[in-house]
Amino acid sequence: MKKIQILLSAMLMVITIASCTKLDVPVESQYVRENFPTTTNDYAALFGTMYSSLSSRYAIDYWRMQELSTDEAIIPARDGNFDDGGQYRQLHYHTWTFDHPNVRGVWEWGFGAINNCNRLIVLTNDSKATEASKAASLAEVRAMRALFYFFMMDTYGNVPLISQFPVSDLPPTQPRAKIFEFIESELKAVIPLLPSKTNVAATNTLQYGRPTKAMAFALLAKMYLNANIYTGTARYNDVVSMADSVQKSTNYTLDAKFRDIFLPNNGPQINETIFAVPYDQQIPGNQFTRFGFFPALAPSYGFQVSLSIAMSTTPEFYNRFNLAGDVRKNTWLVGPQFIPDGNGGFTNQPANYPGTTNQIVITPNLVLITTKPMDVGNTTASQAMGVRSIKYYPDVTTIQATRLNSNDVPVFRLADVYLMKAEAILRGATATTVGGALQTPDYLVSRLRTRSGVTTPANGITLDELLDERARELSWEGWRRNDLIRYGIFEKEYPLPNDNLTMNKDATRRLFPIPISEIRLNNKLVQNPGY
């Protein structure tokens, strides 16, 4: 299911994309207006560059900025190993600088993708395709450009607005509110032209990983939920409206098993996925098993590759998984380990360290040594410190050469839409009726809890409790930074034992800086406050 036409074609096409201010670097492609594609396969190869660009950094570099800057994920050093110049502790303590590798790389990724979309728009407009074909293609490209712009607006705040290709002049920084308005207007313009999810599997497979009406509605809901942050004006009733627009399609439903959503063979058969980034052994960019698993467990799970021992979650975050019967807690590895049963569960057979009879025991606490910053040491015991995630279930097809996962990574899914609607209502929006049921916050959260086996439904849920529910449902899906900023607690510190560093609690850290390399190339860019 992963090797869908558009993404396979994308991997066959080599393209060099310039970042937004490197205007002297051309974008190269085999397509120009004289030989613009005419067949379905040609179009797939051309527009596939948008999706190969998205997958290239979304689940690693972009994900790290959104998660390692929060309590949800952490990469401590292990006796100096995995320190990588301090870049992970800089994210943890909010001490990044304007030349941090993720700060620079994600900016270049986002604006490179935006420039590519602008190029595709020019080629499409100049093509000899039918007007109907042009309209559909332009809607697809503009929706993807809007998504990339959302990533840049959310991460960096005030950014350039570039909608032409080639760019004739250095683009100046624009206010965040103006970028918001541009994204909103683009999505509203293309929604009538985007496809809807159907009840036909073959059609859904072709649409999978590409913009649909529901993807645009979900992205608008996310923007409106954060509109007070982005523009200074709350839009909570609009969140409810967009959530209801998603739910008008009865082809989106909660999947019966939470585990299935994130298995290596997930794909268009997942009922609640609205938009996902597809990955497999040919589509690089997902390495959750490599970075977030526990290597001594690899033989127990059926594969033999070298893995990192680094990435885990914090004890403070894991403690939120405290609801009786909640299967979402099973996405974390902690305590005595057992051989998996092959169905997302575990047998009663202990998982031992290879070549021994010693059962592997993972401990939740991250106890730092005092001689090195954010370092837990590298003994057998300290290697086992830190709760590991198997939400993106370990992929047995992972090979040593690439150590890639085949798990697709959801960007928007129905569960998030429920939670966004619940939060908007708690913040003052009016509850609405969908499918004959009044969707109160308690109703919406209880639907997710029931799916996850939680024995206690929501009853009078508060905003703080809803944030914990978002943590349980959406952990490691790339939304924690966005959530904490909206709740005004992005600067909350969660010190570890023996911690000799402190967090920079300045609210200016809610935005990442514009990379210094870009400012040196473009004197019209204005650095964010605090940098």
Side-chain angles (χ1 to χ4, degrees):
M1 300 296 286
K2 300 297 177 59
K3 298 177 178 65
I4 56 179
Q5 180 80 36
I6 191 164
L7 289 169
L8 274 184
S9 299
M11 299 309 296
L12 299 175
M13 184 174 181
V14 178
I15 179 170
T16 302
I17 303 173
S19 77
C20 82
T21 54
K22 296 177 182 177
L23 304 179
D24 58 334
V25 181
V27 175
E28 298 174 357
S29 167
Q30 70 262 43
Y31 291 118
V32 294
R33 66 184 60 178
E34 287 78 14
N35 68 340
F36 191 83
T38 55
T39 69
T40 301
N41 287 341
D42 289 341
Y43 272 98
L46 179 64
F47 293 119
T49 59
M50 297 185 298
Y51 304 104
S52 59
S53 176
L54 177 63
S55 63
S56 65
R57 289 186 181 263
Y58 180 78
I60 299 180
D61 304 279
Y62 176 79
W63 185 94
R64 286 177 175 175
M65 291 178 77
Q66 311 308 316
E67 300 285 29
L68 293 179
S69 60
T70 75
D71 56 348
E72 197 161 287
I74 184 172
I75 301 181
R78 311 260 176 182
D79 197 21
N81 296 309
F82 311 108
D83 184 67
D84 291 351
Q87 59 178 296
Y88 310 127
R89 80 174 106 93
Q90 289 167 11
L91 290 172
H92 180 78
Y93 294 106
H94 296 189
T95 57
W96 52 76
T97 60
F98 49 51
D99 57 357
H100 188 281
N102 287 151
V103 167
R104 182 180 64 254
V106 168
W107 176 284
E108 292 176 351
W109 165 72
F111 281 102
I114 288 166
N115 277 351
N116 183 47
C117 289
N118 291 336
R119 178 186 70 97
L120 296 179
I121 289 172
V122 171
L123 285 174
T124 302
N125 280 325
D126 289 349
S127 74
K128 298 179 181 178
T130 65
E131 292 304 311
S133 177
K134 282 186 181 182
S137 295
L138 289 171
E140 180 178 0
V141 178
R142 289 170 69 184
M144 287 299 298
R145 183 177 64 178
L147 179 64
F148 280 113
Y149 254 119
F150 170 78
F151 293 150
M152 296 299 98
M153 176 192 69
D154 182 71
T155 303
Y156 298 98
N158 306 324
V159 297
L161 181 56
I162 310 166
S163 58
Q164 303 296 320
F165 185 89
V167 181
S168 59
D169 195 10
L170 295 173
T173 302
Q174 299 291 345
R176 202 180 202 184
K178 184 172 181 178
I179 305 300
F180 180 101
E181 292 172 359
F182 173 77
I183 300 170
E184 181 185 29
S185 64
E186 285 290 284
L187 291 173
K188 286 183 173 181
V190 302
I191 282 172
L193 300 171
L194 292 173
S196 298
K197 185 178 181 180
T198 72
N199 58 4
V200 179
T203 302
N204 294 336
T205 297
L206 291 174
Q207 294 177 0
Y208 183 70
R210 300 168 67 179
T212 60
K213 284 181 170 63
M215 179 268 211
F217 291 139
L219 177 51
L220 283 169
K222 187 70 69 174
M223 289 178 54
Y224 294 146
L225 185 62
N226 294 280
N228 195 40
I229 302 296
Y230 299 147
T231 70
T233 302
R235 304 277 297 270
Y236 298 124
N237 280 316
D238 289 329
V239 177
V240 172
S241 176
M242 291 301 101
D244 290 352
S245 294
V246 172
Q247 293 185 79
K248 285 180 182 178
S249 172
T250 58
N251 294 311
Y252 294 105
T253 59
L254 293 180
D255 287 84
K257 294 182 179 179
F258 184 77
R259 164 64 70 204
D260 291 351
I261 306 168
F262 308 97
L263 291 174
N265 65 349
N266 62 354
Q269 79 277 12
I270 301 301
N271 297 313
E272 69 184 78
T273 298
I274 296 171
F275 183 78
V277 182
Y279 288 104
D280 62 19
Q281 295 302 312
Q282 288 76 44
I283 303 175
N286 179 350
Q287 295 185 329
F288 282 112
T289 295
R290 174 183 176 183
F291 294 120
F293 194 50
F294 188 62
L297 283 169
S300 300
Y301 281 72
F303 55 87
Q304 295 285 348
V305 295
S306 61
L307 301 171
S308 165
I309 58 173
M311 191 161 66
S312 65
T313 193
T314 65
E316 183 266 352
F317 184 80
Y318 173 71
N319 287 340
R320 288 178 170 82
F321 289 78
N322 54 7
L323 300 179
D326 194 347
V327 300
R328 294 171 297 190
K329 189 173 183 177
N330 297 334
T331 63
W332 300 102
L333 297 179
V334 63
Q337 296 301 295
F338 297 88
I339 301 292
D341 62 10
N343 296 311
F346 301 93
T347 67
N348 293 324
Q349 182 180 353
N352 297 329
Y353 281 98
T356 76
T357 57
N358 299 323
Q359 187 176 12
I360 297 170
V361 179
I362 296 176
T363 57
N365 290 333
L366 293 163
V367 181
L368 304 181
I369 59 177
T370 58
T371 55
K372 296 179 181 180
M374 207 177 88
D375 197 314
V376 297
N378 204 19
T379 66
T380 299
S382 64
Q383 287 178 6
M385 287 182 184
V387 183
R388 301 321 205 269
S389 173
I390 54 169
K391 186 170 189 175
Y392 303 98
Y393 198 79
D395 184 1
V396 295
T397 67
T398 297
I399 60 174
Q400 182 62 39
T402 59
R403 293 179 285 185
L404 297 173
N405 282 51
S406 294
N407 317 61
D408 297 348
V409 178
V411 180
F412 301 110
R413 57 187 181 93
L414 185 61
D416 192 7
V417 170
Y418 284 176
L419 292 171
M420 287 193 288
K421 181 176 181 179
E423 183 180 335
I425 295 169
L426 286 174
R427 293 186 184 275
T430 302
T432 58
T433 298
V434 176
L438 179 63
Q439 291 191 330
T440 65
D442 284 350
Y443 171 86
L444 291 162
V445 172
S446 293
R447 291 199 66 181
L448 299 181
R449 288 188 177 183
T450 298
R451 188 263 296 277
S452 297
V454 177
T455 56
T456 306
N459 183 15
I461 193 166
T462 66
L463 274 171
D464 287 344
E465 291 169 341
L466 185 71
L467 180 61
D468 286 346
E469 199 67 39
R470 287 189 63 84
R472 287 185 283 266
E473 180 69 27
L474 302 170
S475 63
W476 283 36
E477 293 185 47
W479 292 115
R480 186 64 171 171
R481 171 183 165 272
N482 181 277
D483 289 346
L484 294 184
I485 291 173
R486 187 172 64 256
Y487 271 75
I489 56 174
F490 185 57
E491 298 78 28
K492 182 179 178 180
E493 197 165 18
Y494 30 92
L496 301 171
N498 300 327
D499 208 340
N500 55 18
L501 298 175
T502 58
M503 177 184 285
N504 183 338
K505 297 181 181 180
D506 196 313
T508 58
R509 296 283 146 167
R510 296 180 183 184
L511 291 178
F512 286 96
I514 297 175
I516 189 62
S517 56
E518 298 295 328
I519 292 177
R520 287 169 178 165
L521 288 167
N522 180 1
N523 59 13
K524 293 183 180 181
L525 295 179
V526 179
Q527 184 59 275
N528 287 325
Y531 297 101

